[in-house]
Amino acid sequence: MNPEQEIIEMNKSKLRKRTKGQGLVEYALILALVAVVTIAGAWAMGQAIKRVFGVVGGALGKNNSVVGTFEIQSANCWVVTSPAPAKTGLVVLGFTTKPVTTLIGSTNKYVGTDVNGDPAPVTSNGGNTFIWQPYLSFTTANASLCPPSVVIQAKDGSTIFSPVTVQYSP
């Protein structure tokens, strides 16, 4: 091999090494991006899974409140026949040391909304107490509209749930 060919071969070898290193950096960046997306997706799915377990747990008659910190004190579905118009609604009362603005109420059918899809936020009921009261029907007094359980979640991932008691009002 003549000296020129040796130099060309050496340069090709150096170029191959540089290309391999660049591919490795690109691969690491793609892997890091996939990891970030996976972690974000797992967090979002975790919230949804906690909500589903809460709905099931409450339907089975369990209440997982943390007494004195984050608890549902009562969860009632009111079936009201008078005064007209008849209506059905949920009233959930509880206690929290978390900011009420970070709480979201949900049932097996609704997450943070009422029957029309309008926002039904958890609001302060004075002091460290909260109330969540979405309407389930504005025109019908129907106990079959009542959910079996309610779930209140904080944005930090804390979840509490309780079964719902049906109450009738003439």
Side-chain angles (χ1 to χ4, degrees):
M1 198 182 294
N2 67 31
E4 286 181 10
Q5 287 177 331
E6 284 182 32
I7 292 172
I8 290 172
E9 288 300 316
M10 284 175 34
N11 285 338
K12 283 183 182 178
S13 175
K14 287 180 183 177
L15 185 60
R16 274 189 223 119
K17 286 181 184 174
R18 253 190 276 147
T19 303
K20 285 181 185 175
Q22 184 179 9
L24 187 59
V25 169
E26 290 170 351
Y27 180 72
L29 287 172
I30 290 170
L31 195 58
L33 179 63
V34 168
V36 167
V37 169
T38 302
I39 289 168
W43 183 85
M45 288 298 294
Q47 293 290 84
I49 290 168
K50 282 182 180 182
R51 186 176 303 117
V52 170
F53 278 124
V55 168
V56 171
L60 294 173
K62 297 298 272 178
N63 182 332
N64 83 326
S65 297
V66 181
V67 177
T69 304
F70 192 28
E71 63 182 296
I72 294 175
Q73 296 165 326
S74 68
N76 297 306
C77 183
W78 286 94
V79 180
V80 180
T81 55
S82 65
K87 53 192 157 284
T88 306
L90 194 58
V91 178
V92 180
L93 296 170
F95 177 85
T96 184
T97 56
K98 301 172 183 305
V100 173
T101 57
T102 68
L103 303 180
I104 269 189
S106 58
T107 67
N108 58 326
K109 292 183 182 180
Y110 309 107
V111 178
T113 64
D114 66 15
V115 69
N116 291 335
D118 295 327
V122 175
T123 56
S124 176
N125 199 31
N128 285 348
T129 62
F130 65 83
I131 186 168
W132 184 52
Q133 45 189 355
Y135 277 103
L136 305 176
S137 172
F138 292 105
T139 59
T140 307
N142 186 347
S144 69
L145 299 174
C146 296
S149 60
V150 295
V151 177
I152 304 291
Q153 282 185 301
K155 290 195 177 169
D156 69 2
S158 304
T159 303
I160 55 175
F161 55 85
S162 176
V164 172
T165 304
V166 177
Q167 303 284 330
Y168 294 91
S169 178

